[in-house]
């Protein structure tokens, strides 16, 4: 092929070119000025560390203590006296392992909002008070000191694995660099699977990406994008340019299984049998824009792939060894340590722009405390969108199809794959290339000449300004830059640095546009030399720290529960059809909403929010309580479930039969039924949402927040 920006030599190829197998991967993905995917570049050894398991799961004392249990003969609301606690939801809860939801509840009474006054004009409860942050850990040696931690950056286009332990290599993070299918070293490998006609895995990673086309085989890529929130809620929201694939979840399980089995073998080979990988903490990164449903599905796929498992008899909490962390949070931890790069100091704010193959994720953080004991806090709700480097490739293909619409010989899959391979070599510099002509060699030698569409002697000539308008600017300008702009508007403090990480950060045009738009407002705009592995290394660094490095997060959306409340005048006026009389003879308004967490709320990492509930049971067989959890991306406060702009996240089915108060009341002769009071706790981490059943400030059960 001729050099980019220079005219072709006019030589006409005598035969079909050999197809580079859909883009032969023969170099390291990462920092390079490429139009396409996160293609490999020159090798840089990444460092990674594992997340802090210390404060995870330590919930004792975080929740609010429940109010006294109502007794059978109470005065109001059918024998139940309201107290100063938030309204009670109803819904359904799956087991943490993802079991089917069961049960329904038609007689659950939510406590009226006496202590929590409603928003003006709504009369609905405000979010319950937050429980105090978890107690600070002392400096005593941890019981799992030296425990192995493994981080996995499962990317849309490329994935990597790192590991570490305080007892290995002086506590420094190590990264797997040798992979099947190549004698060279790679920091990351393609997220790619190759199946035979029977659906059996033939190859994965480099071998799958580099395999020549074979009859009866199916190559699967980019399946991570199918867990994006809009795609999960509506299949029609999936980008039509993406290939039709089998179940995305099955593909994720298959890829993670292959990745993990090889990683275990390689880690053991590199450091010996000392590695106890069956009891290791595993940190998995996910995009910032994913909601709890996508994160929950990712967790189940990872567990099905065997990333964590029971390591001994009585190991009941083995699932908790799988940690989910957002990509910008992991990248921020890595960047915050790079003091030589951007010279950040305590109390300064910085933006992390993690531009990868599939998504671009952003978050703003503040450095808290001294750098020697690093801690960072999220400053505003993180954001992200599907506008990674993959979408440059997709737009380039669309441009080729448009230009060569009357030349179908160049539009077959092999030809389009070759064009995409050619774009991997494209060194595009932006406006300065507007006057240049970029030449792309055709794979098919048939129909080689039509100057009216740019076909000249077997090459497709595309003007630089056309590439900029149709390929680069819609992705770089309208998507990536607008995301950064939105983040800066959310923070009313000075931003001291903007750090570009991820494979797409290697695009010189992206960096150029960011500097043009933000250099007057942000003092430091930097791209680390190891930007393509910042997320992977940051997740590993988090794990090796054995403590929470990110102290607080901002709720990216509201979390709301569907509740039943005693009907008031506003309900009779606005939704009389929702009002029914319960078994205790009390008019109850169904389909009400109660906000547990409002969008933008500041939450201590792992903080538990508790809400009191009361269930009316007619007999000891009536022990199921169903809670429906919704999310909302809008800041608008809604009163009823039919007001739109909410999405059902999950149902929790809670079995109350084991609670002492239920057992006590059910054993008493009460012809009119009885009430059981309890609490549900909501824990929000950087990516996941968990529910906890509480009684007398003690845990009686946990459940994940996905259907």
């Amino acid at each position: 092929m001729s050099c980019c920006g220079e005219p072709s030599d006019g030589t006409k190829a005598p035969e079909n070119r050999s197809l580079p197998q859909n883009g032969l991967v023969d170099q390291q993905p990462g920092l390079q000025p490429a139009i396409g995917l996160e293609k490999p570049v020159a090798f840089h050894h990444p460092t990674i560390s594992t997340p802090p398991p210390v404060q995870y799961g330590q919930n004792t004392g975080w929740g609010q203590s429940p109010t006294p249990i109502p007794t059978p003969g109470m005065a109001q609301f059918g024998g139940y006296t309201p107290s100063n606690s938030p309204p009670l939801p109803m819904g359904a809860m799956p087991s943490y392992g993802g079991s089917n939801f069961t049960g329904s509840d038609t007689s659950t009474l939510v406590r009226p909002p006496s202590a929590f006054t409603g928003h003006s004009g709504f009369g609905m409860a405000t979010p319950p008070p937050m429980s105090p942050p978890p107690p600070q850990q002392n400096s005593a040696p941890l019981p799992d000191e030296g425990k192995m931690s493994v981080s996995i950056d499962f990317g849309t286009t490329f994935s990597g694995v790192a590991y570490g332990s305080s007892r290995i290599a002086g506590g420094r993070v190590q990264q797997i660099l040798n992979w099947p299918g190549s004698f060279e070293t790679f920091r990351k490998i393609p997220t790619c699977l190759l199946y035979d006609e029977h659906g059996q895995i033939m190859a994965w990673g480099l071998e799958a990406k580099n395999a020549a086309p074979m009859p009866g085989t199916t190559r699967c890529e980019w399946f991570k994008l199918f867990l994006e929130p809009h795609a999960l809620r509506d299949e029609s929201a999936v980008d039509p340019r993406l290939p039709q694939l089998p179940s995305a979840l099955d593909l994720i399980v298959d890829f993670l299984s292959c990745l993990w089995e090889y990683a275990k073998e390689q880690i053991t080979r590199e450091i010996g049998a000392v590695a106890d990988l069956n009891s290791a903490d595993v940190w998995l990164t996910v995009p910032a824009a994913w909601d709890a449903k996508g994160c929950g599905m990712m967790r189940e796929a990872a567990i099905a792939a065997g990333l964590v498992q029971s390591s001994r008899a009585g190991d009941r909490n083995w699932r908790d060894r799988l940690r989910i962390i957002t990509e910008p949070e992991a990248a921020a931890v890595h960047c915050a340590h790079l003091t030589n790069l951007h010279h950040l100091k305590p109390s300064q704010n910085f933006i992390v722009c993690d531009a990868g193959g599939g998504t671009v994720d952003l978050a703003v953080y503040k450095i808290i405390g001294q750098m020697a004991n690093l801690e960072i806090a999220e400053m505003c709700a993180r954001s992200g969108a599907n506008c990674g480097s993959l979408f440059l490739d997709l737009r380039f293909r669309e441009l080729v199809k448009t230009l060569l619409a009357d030349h179908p010989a160049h539009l077959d899959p092999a030809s389009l794959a070759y064009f995409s391979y050619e774009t991997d070599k494209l060194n595009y510099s932006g406006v300065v290339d507007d006057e240049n002509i970029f030449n792309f060699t055709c794979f098919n030698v048939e129909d080689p000449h039509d100057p009216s569409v740019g076909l000249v002697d077997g090459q497709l000539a595309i003007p630089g300004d056309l590439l900029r308008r149709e390929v680069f600017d819609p992705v770089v300008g309208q998507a990536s830059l607008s995301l950064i702009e939105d983040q800066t508007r959310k923070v009313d403090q000075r931003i001291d640095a903007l750090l570009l990480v991820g494979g797409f950060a290697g695009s010189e045009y992206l960096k150029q546009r960011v500097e043009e738009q933000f250099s007057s407002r942000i003092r430091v705009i930097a791209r680390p030399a190891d930007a393509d592995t910042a997320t992977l290394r940051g997740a590993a660094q988090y794990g090796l720290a054995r403590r929470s490095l990110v102290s607080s997060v901002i709720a990216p959306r509201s979390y709301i529960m569907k509740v039943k409340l005693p009907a008031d005048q506003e309900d009779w006026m606005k939704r009389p059809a929702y009002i029914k009389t319960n078994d205790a003879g009390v008019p109850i308004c169904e389909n009400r909403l109660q906000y547990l967490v409002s969008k933008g709320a500041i939450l201590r990492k792992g903080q538990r929010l508790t809400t009191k509930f009361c269930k009316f049971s007619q007999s000891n067989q009536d022990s199921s309580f169903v809670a429906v959890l919704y999310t909302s991306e809008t800041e608008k406060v809604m009163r009823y479930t039919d007001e739109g702009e909410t999405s059902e996240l999950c149902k929790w089915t809670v079995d109350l039969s084991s609670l002492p108060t239920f057992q006590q009341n059910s054993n008493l002769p009460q012809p009119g039924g009885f009430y059981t009071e309890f609490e549900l706790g909501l824990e929000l981490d950087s990516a996941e949402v968990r529910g906890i059943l509480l009684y007398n400030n003690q845990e009686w059960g946990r459940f994940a927040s996905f259907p």
Side-chain angles (χ1 to χ4, degrees):
M1 126 180 178
S2 60
C3 295
C4 297
E6 298 178 4
S8 65
D9 56 12
T11 304
K12 188 172 180 179
E15 58 184 3
N16 285 359
R17 283 79 176 168
S18 60
L19 179 65
Q21 301 147 11
N22 287 339
L24 180 67
V25 176
D26 57 2
Q27 43 182 317
Q28 179 60 41
L31 297 178
Q32 63 173 21
I35 184 177
L37 307 179
E38 305 167 73
K39 305 299 180 195
V41 294
F43 165 70
H44 293 284
H45 194 324
T47 341
I48 315 184
S49 51
T50 24
V54 183
Q55 293 192 354
Y56 267 79
Q58 297 185 1
N59 302 313
T60 305
W62 293 13
Q64 301 170 337
S65 57
T67 55
I69 316 273
T71 56
M74 295 189 134
Q76 299 181 20
F77 304 120
Y80 175 65
T81 300
S83 63
N84 293 343
S85 55
L88 317 171
M90 48 177 298
M93 137 183 103
S95 71
Y96 202 79
S99 60
N100 294 332
F101 317 116
T102 58
S104 60
D105 181 30
T106 58
S107 59
T108 305
L109 177 64
V110 180
R111 305 191 72 158
S114 53
F116 304 96
T117 58
H119 296 273
S120 176
F122 281 87
M124 70 178 293
T126 58
M130 299 178 184
S131 55
Q136 297 296 320
Q137 304 296 319
N138 56 37
S139 57
L142 302 174
D144 54 359
E145 185 72 29
K147 187 177 183 180
M148 176 71 71
S149 292
V150 182
S151 64
I152 297 177
D153 182 9
F154 171 65
T156 302
T157 53
F158 284 88
S159 297
V161 178
Y163 61 92
S165 166
S166 61
R167 298 174 181 173
I168 299 173
R172 295 187 303 274
V173 167
Q174 309 295 306
Q175 189 168 347
I176 293 180
L177 301 171
N178 298 295
W179 297 95
S182 177
F183 292 106
E184 300 180 46
T185 55
F186 291 85
R187 295 188 301 277
K188 290 184 177 181
I189 57 168
T191 307
C192 183
L193 289 164
L194 185 67
Y195 291 90
D196 64 17
E197 57 187 354
H198 304 294
Q200 299 299 310
I201 300 173
M202 296 180 61
W204 63 282
L206 287 165
E207 294 178 330
K209 183 70 175 179
N210 294 339
M214 293 177 286
T217 62
T218 302
R219 189 193 315 273
C220 296
E221 301 179 271
W222 312 335
F223 35 85
K224 177 182 174 182
L225 292 177
F226 289 83
L227 291 192
E228 187 266 336
H230 296 293
L232 287 177
R233 288 195 292 266
D234 181 8
E235 291 185 0
S236 65
V238 176
D239 193 313
R241 296 170 297 181
L242 296 177
Q244 296 295 316
L245 295 174
S247 166
L249 210 56
D250 291 340
L251 296 176
I252 293 173
V253 171
D254 284 351
F255 183 81
L256 289 179
S257 297
C258 295
L259 186 74
W260 181 243
E261 287 305 313
Y262 179 80
K264 289 195 297 183
E265 294 175 5
Q266 190 65 19
I267 293 172
T268 302
R269 186 179 302 119
E270 291 179 1
I271 66 176
V274 66
D276 185 8
L277 292 171
N278 288 333
S279 61
D281 286 333
V282 179
W283 290 75
L284 193 59
T285 62
V286 298
W290 278 20
D291 59 16
K293 182 182 293 185
C295 294
M297 294 176 71
M298 192 71 198
R299 167 176 284 277
E300 289 307 299
I303 290 175
L307 270 60
V308 292
Q309 54 188 299
S310 177
S311 61
R312 64 185 184 281
D315 186 8
R316 298 180 178 178
N317 298 322
W318 58 270
R319 289 181 177 86
D320 294 340
R321 291 199 296 273
L322 177 64
R323 322 286 193 182
I324 307 291
I325 184 174
T326 64
E327 292 165 359
E329 182 176 348
V333 169
H334 175 66
C335 290
H337 285 88
L338 301 178
T339 54
N340 292 333
L341 175 69
H342 46 72
H343 305 288
L344 285 177
K345 300 176 182 178
S347 78
Q348 289 187 327
N349 304 313
F350 65 98
I351 295 180
V352 171
C353 175
D354 183 4
T359 60
V360 174
D361 300 304
L362 289 103
V364 183
Y365 295 94
K366 177 185 286 291
I367 295 179
I368 300 175
Q370 300 302 314
M371 298 300 293
N373 191 28
L374 179 68
E375 187 175 334
I376 60 178
E378 204 171 67
M379 294 296 292
C380 65
R382 56 190 178 269
S383 61
N386 289 350
C387 54
S389 58
L390 163 64
F391 293 90
L392 292 178
D393 277 357
L394 296 178
R395 291 194 67 87
F396 180 78
R397 288 196 182 196
E398 293 301 312
L399 176 60
V400 170
K401 290 179 181 179
T402 300
L403 293 175
L404 301 180
D406 296 329
H407 299 270
H410 301 295
L411 299 181
D412 60 279
S415 296
L416 289 174
Y418 192 76
F419 278 128
S420 291
Y421 174 65
E422 290 286 281
T423 64
D424 297 339
K425 301 176 181 177
L426 182 60
N427 186 354
Y428 182 77
S429 300
V431 177
V432 295
D433 281 329
D434 275 3
E435 301 302 321
N436 290 332
I437 300 296
F438 292 86
N439 297 290
F440 302 90
T441 306
C442 300
F443 172 67
N444 200 325
V445 297
E446 299 176 11
D447 192 13
H449 199 71
D450 182 357
S452 66
V453 297
L455 271 177
V456 180
D457 295 330
Q459 290 189 322
L460 177 62
I462 303 179
D465 61 338
L466 182 61
L467 279 174
R468 179 173 56 81
R469 292 196 315 269
E470 298 298 326
V471 177
F472 282 93
D473 280 352
V475 177
V476 173
Q478 298 173 15
S480 302
L481 295 180
S482 63
L483 284 172
I484 300 174
E485 192 69 63
D486 289 343
Q487 283 288 304
T488 61
R489 291 171 181 166
K490 293 178 182 177
V491 181
D492 57 359
Q493 301 180 26
R494 186 180 68 184
I495 304 296
D496 299 287
L498 193 163
L499 307 176
L500 297 170
V501 300
F504 191 18
S507 166
E508 287 301 323
Y509 184 56
L510 173 61
K511 187 171 186 291
Q512 176 192 120
R513 290 293 306 275
V514 169
E515 289 174 339
E516 289 175 356
Q517 186 161 334
F518 299 101
S519 59
S520 62
R521 290 176 278 168
I522 301 176
R523 178 175 55 87
V524 175
I525 297 177
R527 179 178 59 196
D530 53 1
D532 59 318
T533 57
T535 294
L536 179 61
R537 301 172 70 172
Q541 287 166 320
Y542 207 134
L544 287 181
R546 317 303 294 173
R547 63 184 178 87
S548 182
L549 298 179
V550 178
S551 62
S552 62
V553 296
I554 306 297
R557 56 189 59 87
S558 296
Y559 291 89
I560 316 165
M561 275 196 174
K562 176 183 175 181
V563 301
K564 292 180 179 181
L565 290 173
D568 60 21
Q569 184 176 1
E570 185 173 356
D571 297 324
W572 284 106
M573 292 176 58
K574 293 183 175 180
R575 299 293 190 279
Y578 286 174
I579 299 175
K580 298 180 181 179
T581 302
N582 68 2
D583 294 326
V586 179
I588 298 297
C589 183
E590 300 181 339
N591 301 320
R592 286 283 303 273
L593 296 175
Q594 171 165 343
Y595 282 69
L596 304 181
V597 179
S598 295
K599 181 178 180 178
I602 303 173
L603 303 172
R604 187 77 183 175
K605 192 79 177 290
Q607 182 173 350
R608 177 183 296 173
L609 312 174
T610 60
T611 305
K612 296 178 177 64
F613 294 84
C614 185
K615 172 178 169 57
F616 176 77
S617 301
Q618 293 180 311
S619 69
N620 58 7
Q621 302 298 315
D622 185 12
S623 62
S624 290
F625 176 84
V626 182
V628 184
L629 186 63
Y630 293 85
T631 61
S632 176
E633 303 290 339
T634 179
E635 296 180 0
K636 172 187 173 183
V637 177
M638 294 163 284
R639 182 180 177 92
Y640 304 102
T641 57
D642 63 1
E643 293 185 46
E645 301 185 65
T646 61
S647 299
E648 182 177 318
L649 177 63
C650 66
K651 288 186 175 72
W652 294 336
T653 300
V654 187
D655 185 5
L656 306 177
S657 60
S658 63
L659 294 182
T661 181
F662 183 91
Q663 295 176 352
Q664 176 183 348
N665 291 334
S666 64
N667 291 329
L668 297 175
Q670 302 183 64
F674 58 91
Y675 287 95
T676 302
E677 186 170 304
F678 59 97
E679 287 182 297
L680 288 183
L682 187 70
E683 285 184 357
L684 280 79
D685 220 322
S686 64
E688 294 187 282
V689 176
R690 292 174 291 273
I692 305 101
L693 173 62
L694 298 162
Y695 176 72
N696 278 349
N697 212 28
Q698 295 183 351
E699 282 193 22
W700 286 75
R702 278 179 168 253
F703 29 91
S705 296
F706 63 98

